[in-house]
Amino acid sequence: MQPVHLLVVERDADWSEWSAISRSFGSTVLMLIQRADEAIAAFYQRIQRCLAERMVLQVTVMRALGQAPGRLFSLLAQLGVSIRDGLTVVSPSIVCGTVAG
């Protein structure tokens, strides 16, 4: 199985950094986009299944304005040991650097 770069996009995410983000992809990209009618808990379950089923090189998260980051960050921190090249979070208000996984 080929390792992938996982892009997680929350509903109403800020796409202003898309150009810079997309240039950073050096391998196959898998996008998980939260559906309009999908609860955040169900979206997190899809993320968990994806991370359990694939070899992931790096995760990039495009955050939505107003979403509480605690639960998502907790989920990703729990799964971070399997992320070889780290985690990048892009939110509408700030762009966080890469965190080693």
Side-chain angles (χ1 to χ4, degrees), residues 7 10 15-16 28-29 33 36 38 48 56 59 61 63-64 80 83 86 88 91 93:
L7 176 62
E10 291 183 335
W15 289 85
S16 64
T28 303
V29 177
I33 301 174
E38 184 175 30
Q48 283 181 303
V56 177
V59 175
V61 180
R63 300 280 298 150
I83 302 169
T88 301
S91 76
S93 58

Side-chain angles (χ1 to χ4, degrees), residues 62-99:
M62 293 176 62
R63 300 280 298 150
L65 184 62
Q67 289 288 352
R71 188 167 176 202
L72 174 64
F73 291 154
S74 175
L75 168 70
L76 293 171
Q78 291 170 9
L79 300 169
V81 292
S82 65
I83 302 169
R84 190 176 78 190
D85 293 334
L87 166 67
T88 301
V89 177
V90 181
S91 76
S93 58
I94 58 170
V95 176
C96 300
T98 300
V99 177

Side-chain angles (χ1 to χ4, degrees), residues 22-65:
S22 62
R23 277 185 257 131
S24 71
F25 300 145
S27 63
T28 303
V29 177
L30 174 65
M31 293 179 72
L32 291 180
I33 301 174
Q34 185 180 11
R35 297 183 294 264
D37 62 345
E38 184 175 30
I40 197 74
F43 185 47
Y44 291 170
Q45 287 177 346
R46 280 201 302 133
I47 295 167
Q48 283 181 303
R49 280 193 308 272
C50 176
L51 290 171
E53 295 170 353
R54 291 175 173 78
M55 178 188 283
V56 177
L57 294 173
Q58 183 176 7
V59 175
T60 299
V61 180
M62 293 176 62
R63 300 280 298 150
L65 184 62

